[in-house]
Amino acid sequence: MHSVDIAMALTFAVIASTVILYAVERYPIETVALGSVTAFIVIFSIFPVETPDGHQVATADFLMGFANPALVTVICLLIIGQGLFQTDALEGPAKTIVRMTRGRSALATIPILLAVAVLSAFLNNTPVVVMFLPILTAVAATVGQSSSRVLMPLSFIAILGGMTTLIGSSTNLLVANYAAQSSDLQLSFFSFTPIGLIIAGVGSLYVFFVMPHLMTTRKTMAEEFQATSGKQFIAQIEITYGHPLVGVEAVSGMFPKLKDMTVRLVQRGQEPLLPPFENVVLSPGDTVIVAATRNALANALARRQPLMEAETEQASPGRDQQAVQPGSISLAEVVVAPASRLMGRTLPQSGFYADTGCLVMGIQRRSRMPRMAMNDIRLEAGDVLLVAGSEEDISRLRGNRDVLLLDWSTAEVPRRRYAPRALAIFAVVVALAASGLVPIVSAAIGGTFAMIASGCLNIRQAMRAIDSRIFMLVGASLAAAVALEATGGATAIASALVYALHGASAPVILSALFFLVMVLTNFLSNNAAAVLFTPIAINLANQIGQPPEAFVVCLIIAANTSFATPIGYQTNLIVMGPGHYRFIDFIRAGVPLALILWLTFSLVAPWYYGMSVTH
């Protein structure tokens, strides 16, 4: 018993230290999480603890969390989301939403979040968040907003919607079933919907109008650079037989299908056609010289019917010949180095592809924008070349002495021709998960395999989608839950609550119960917190002569108040990677929301259930 008490005290110390270190962010999350797991293994090796069924807690028990189905589900869903991203599958729906809301980000995102809240009341929160995460990300990108502004609200709104009906969350059903077995309380589908709507409504007002001011925009370094890069490249489009631009006619001196580019010259044989273009119809053999941003050129390359070719089977004889290998294509920017062998040469003369395996898609010159074909431009030191190639070929440019690779600029071109199959896979995964025909972990694993097998993703892209922070956070939090349950730490907390509240009025006891469960549910799983406190809640109600329903509903709503940490709920983990969130972001935005819900419940519940404020 003495060994158990020491192990319990050390468990509390490790959990408290871990949370503090997560919050201060002085050390990487992965390091802190691994340290906490190591600490538990050491503690339970020195002070052995047996569970009530006689099983001694071993190292394997602390490592089981790393194979937890919930963790596997989150990782697989991240990979499926990467498949949608790599194919730009949701660009069309996002543009439609933005067009309908006239580009105003608030008008675009709030209706989507309200739809999420309604659906979460009737479906499992996880597939709802999975369904809307890529849509919201695409909408945010279309209106020039960081995804970090919308993805945490998405998770929070889904959790709020889930606390309004009996099937809104698995926790709700678990508590209701447990209460029905241990008492006469039978909760119906809408038993706590009125008070749930009040709590969720107050929380939604915070999410929509207060939370945006507390959030920090989080972007990767590459996104920071690319978002501010509006520089123009000179590029050329070879018009071949069957090209999407064949037969396109100039309107008011411009070409409507090239609205994101400035056409500077159309080379027709030996005759250059200069703007404004009147009665010019593009035909095979023409070369269109354009000035365009990197994004515009990437979009032209990524279209299902590409305007530009990264392969030169159809390229004109004057172009820098040879092809980028089919499959995954990346774009990067390189600078022509001082004393480079490229200086004074045109691209066809330079043999750049033969040396590097990368095809030059555009040239950017800081001093002036030459009005000539790209292949006629003689390169100078300081010119920026936009190159396309495989990731391996672009990586080899780091050792090239003729050009300097800008590492942050490397990004893969979306495989838009695979967008329909990526959408189909995503739809099947969501439908299976929402219908309950198969477990969500099975649907997620199957969807991951389908994304890779169908060519929407390659293995390297899939592995890149796995967030090491999420992997270590979940594994470490489940190890902490094992330690708490094995030492009786969670039960000790509950017993202390009963003892401390002896003689208090019913509203005070109800409020204290909510607060304690609210805190624990952000570190244990919400289902674990709910199962632990259901008998305690019913006993508290019986001891003070109050209806058990108020205490069971208190437990349901409090167990769903998982906003303060990313490990508090699965949807928080799902948005953590795509939103580039840190642990402190959840504390900053989630703690005020949890406190607001606690205060709201403490004020509304006594009135709603007719409790007296005096004992």
Side-chain angles (χ1 to χ4, degrees):
M1 186 66 184
H2 180 65
S3 176
V4 174
D5 291 340
I6 296 174
M8 184 194 299
L10 291 174
T11 295
F12 283 130
V14 170
I15 292 174
S17 302
T18 302
V19 172
I20 292 170
L21 289 173
Y22 281 154
V24 299
E25 296 185 328
R26 184 172 180 179
Y27 305 102
I29 279 180
E30 296 91 333
T31 304
V32 176
L34 183 60
S36 71
V37 175
T38 304
F40 287 129
I41 292 173
V42 171
I43 290 168
F44 282 75
S45 297
I46 298 174
F47 304 102
V49 174
E50 287 189 358
T51 59
D53 60 3
H55 165 71
Q56 183 169 320
V57 181
T59 299
D61 296 314
F62 295 110
L63 301 179
M64 285 174 59
F66 293 101
N68 185 276
L71 176 57
V72 174
T73 301
V74 170
I75 289 174
C76 288
L77 291 176
L78 288 173
I79 295 174
I80 292 171
Q82 182 76 356
L84 292 172
F85 171 77
Q86 288 295 146
T87 57
D88 257 4
L90 293 167
E91 183 191 35
K95 286 186 175 178
T96 301
I97 292 171
V98 171
R99 190 164 52 247
M100 291 170 58
T101 56
R102 300 178 182 177
R104 296 178 63 182
S105 57
L107 291 179
T109 55
I110 289 180
I112 295 175
L113 292 176
L114 289 175
V116 168
V118 173
L119 286 173
S120 295
F122 302 97
L123 298 173
N124 185 289
N125 295 345
T126 303
V128 173
V129 169
V130 170
M131 187 190 312
F132 282 93
L133 185 149
I135 295 175
L136 265 179
T137 302
V139 169
T142 305
V143 297
Q145 190 176 44
S146 169
S147 59
S148 63
R149 293 283 183 181
V150 295
L151 294 189
M152 196 185 296
L154 168 65
S155 177
F156 286 6
I157 284 292
I159 296 172
L160 289 170
M163 63 174 64
T164 58
T165 68
L166 187 63
I167 66 168
S169 165
S170 59
T171 307
N172 304 0
L173 280 170
L174 194 65
V175 173
N177 290 337
Y178 200 102
Q181 293 170 10
S182 55
S183 71
D184 297 329
L185 178 62
Q186 299 288 337
L187 293 177
S188 65
F189 194 96
F190 295 111
S191 283
F192 52 89
T193 298
I195 189 169
L197 285 174
I198 294 172
I199 305 298
V202 172
S204 298
L205 291 175
Y206 166 85
V207 171
F208 289 141
F209 301 111
V210 179
M211 191 170 152
H213 301 291
L214 300 178
M215 298 179 66
T216 303
T217 299
R218 301 283 188 199
K219 289 188 177 183
T220 62
M221 185 177 292
E223 288 172 328
E224 295 281 2
F225 278 105
Q226 290 170 14
T228 58
S229 176
K231 58 189 176 187
Q232 301 267 314
F233 290 88
I234 287 290
Q236 62 188 49
I237 302 173
E238 311 282 354
I239 309 297
T240 57
Y241 288 99
H243 193 280
L245 294 180
V246 169
V248 171
E249 184 176 1
V251 177
S252 301
M254 297 181 292
F255 295 95
K257 285 201 173 182
L258 296 172
K259 60 183 178 181
D260 295 332
M261 304 178 180
T262 303
V263 179
R264 299 179 61 81
L265 172 71
V266 175
Q267 188 72 38
R268 179 165 290 171
Q270 300 299 315
E271 179 188 4
L273 306 178
L274 299 174
F277 303 101
E278 298 295 340
N279 302 318
V280 175
V281 179
L282 298 178
S283 57
D286 290 347
T287 299
V288 182
I289 312 303
V290 299
T293 63
R294 173 188 169 138
N295 282 341
L297 294 176
N299 289 335
L301 188 63
R303 286 174 50 154
R304 295 176 193 177
Q305 286 187 299
L307 296 182
M308 304 178 71
E309 293 289 344
E311 303 174 24
T312 58
E313 295 173 10
Q314 304 172 338
S316 67
R319 188 174 175 97
D320 182 16
Q321 296 280 342
Q322 292 94 18
V324 173
Q325 292 299 313
S328 178
I329 299 172
S330 294
L331 287 179
E333 296 175 30
V334 297
V335 180
V336 177
S340 167
R341 291 176 298 173
L342 302 179
M343 289 172 57
R345 297 182 180 183
T346 63
L347 286 174
Q349 293 170 347
S350 70
F352 185 77
Y353 177 86
D355 291 339
T356 65
C358 299
L359 190 66
V360 176
M361 308 302 297
I363 300 174
Q364 190 263 336
R365 181 163 291 169
R366 300 181 188 281
S367 58
R368 61 194 181 282
M369 189 70 75
R371 191 185 294 276
M372 63 177 70
M374 185 178 78
N375 286 338
D376 294 336
I377 298 174
R378 293 191 178 275
L379 299 176
E380 299 175 0
D383 285 351
V384 179
L385 309 181
L386 182 66
V387 298
S390 68
E391 188 170 9
E392 292 77 14
D393 287 334
I394 287 177
S395 294
R396 280 196 290 270
L397 291 176
R398 292 189 182 95
N400 191 300
R401 295 185 179 181
D402 294 317
V403 294
L404 305 173
L405 174 65
L406 305 178
D407 271 304
W408 57 264
S409 70
T410 304
E412 286 180 291
V413 176
R415 301 178 176 188
R416 290 185 184 165
R417 63 182 180 276
Y418 294 130
R421 66 183 72 172
L423 278 173
I425 293 167
F426 176 62
V428 170
V429 169
V430 172
L432 289 175
S435 66
L437 293 175
V438 297
I440 188 170
V441 63
S442 303
I445 291 173
T448 298
F449 173 74
M451 281 287 184
I452 296 171
S454 65
C456 299
L457 280 175
N458 58 39
I459 293 294
R460 186 185 65 255
Q461 292 164 338
M463 293 301 294
R464 201 161 55 221
I466 299 174
D467 192 325
S468 61
R469 297 176 306 161
I470 291 175
F471 182 77
M472 293 304 300
L473 268 173
V474 174
S477 67
L478 292 173
V482 168
L484 269 179
E485 291 174 16
T487 59
T491 306
I493 294 172
S495 301
L497 170 70
V498 175
Y499 178 80
L501 296 177
H502 180 71
S505 65
V508 171
I509 294 175
L510 195 66
S511 178
L513 176 65
F514 190 105
F515 185 85
L516 181 58
V517 175
M518 175 187 77
V519 171
L520 286 179
T521 195
N522 282 284
F523 301 101
L524 297 172
S525 75
N526 48 359
N527 285 345
V531 169
L532 177 67
F533 276 89
T534 300
I536 295 172
I538 293 173
N539 288 335
L540 275 174
N542 292 334
Q543 285 177 20
I544 61 176
Q546 293 291 335
E549 181 177 350
F551 285 78
V552 171
V553 170
C554 169
L555 180 58
I556 287 174
I557 296 176
N560 279 295
T561 312
S562 311
F563 305 111
T565 66
I567 58 178
Y569 198 69
Q570 190 164 294
T571 57
N572 289 352
L573 286 169
I574 290 173
V575 303
M576 185 177 181
H580 310 299
Y581 296 120
R582 300 175 184 169
F583 198 93
I584 193 68
D585 293 324
F586 284 90
I587 294 177
R588 184 187 298 114
V591 168
L593 176 57
L595 293 175
I596 287 170
L597 298 191
W598 168 56
L599 292 172
T600 304
F601 184 87
S602 299
L603 293 172
V604 171
W607 162 79
Y608 184 80
Y609 289 105
M611 289 182 177
S612 172
V613 294
T614 58
H615 181 57

